[in-house]
Amino acid sequence: MMRERVQQYFTQFQNALRNLEEAVQYAKTDIEIDGTIKRFELCYELSWKLIKEYLADLGLICKNPRDCFRLAYQNGLIANDQIWMEMIDARNRLVRTYSAEESREMFIDIKEKFLHELKYLYDKILNAGQI
């Protein structure tokens, strides 16, 4: 069994992912798209913290998203490390700049690329049989 901390992150990630899926499905207006982006940010933060704790249980230590995503890829938790690196860049752009055009582009990336990768991570950890 995983440690309680991993289970807590998994449950939080599960809820955030469910909320993100719903937002992606229904968002049409600018405010709904902005809300979807906020939900993505939360999902992203929880995903790397979940990965960090999950890998720690395997004796693998990572301290930042980039290192955690690399280790997660090497250990089969994520399918496409390049898309996860794009997520890092996207998350960093959100912190620094904001424009309506950029938010639309971000929404498309979330819908067409990022959500799939987040769901893959969820399925991998769920099916590891330890949660």
Side-chain angles (χ1 to χ4, degrees), residues 4-15:
E4 187 176 329
R5 189 168 170 93
V6 176
Q7 290 178 337
Q8 288 173 344
Y9 275 121
F10 183 79
T11 300
Q12 291 172 359
F13 178 67
Q14 180 180 39
N15 293 334

Side-chain angles (χ1 to χ4, degrees), residues 20-42:
L20 178 61
E21 285 181 287
E22 181 182 357
V24 163
Q25 186 176 2
Y26 294 109
K28 303 281 184 268
T29 66
D30 285 344
I31 198 161
E32 291 166 341
I33 287 171
D34 288 350
T36 302
I37 291 168
K38 278 301 190 194
R39 286 181 175 191
F40 162 73
E41 288 181 83
L42 177 60

Side-chain angles (χ1 to χ4, degrees), residues 1 5 12-15 30 36 43 54 65 78 87 100 108-109 126:
M1 277 305 273
R5 189 168 170 93
Q12 291 172 359
F13 178 67
Q14 180 180 39
N15 293 334
D30 285 344
T36 302
C43 217
Y54 186 91
I78 62 175
M87 276 193 237
I108 291 167
D109 282 345
L126 180 67

Side-chain angles (χ1 to χ4, degrees), residues 75-122:
N75 287 276
L77 286 180
I78 62 175
N80 188 326
D81 60 332
Q82 198 55 49
I83 290 179
W84 285 84
M85 296 303 148
E86 287 178 35
M87 276 193 237
I88 293 171
D89 293 338
R91 176 69 176 91
N92 290 341
R93 276 196 324 269
L94 286 169
V95 173
R96 288 194 309 270
T97 60
Y98 178 83
S99 71
E101 181 181 314
E102 195 168 37
S103 71
R104 290 283 175 171
E105 291 170 9
M106 177 74 59
F107 177 76
I108 291 167
D109 282 345
I110 292 167
K111 188 173 186 170
E112 295 179 358
K113 293 192 285 189
F114 300 162
L115 182 59
H116 174 76
E117 290 299 316
L118 291 163
K119 286 165 73 171
Y120 183 92
L121 170 66
Y122 170 80

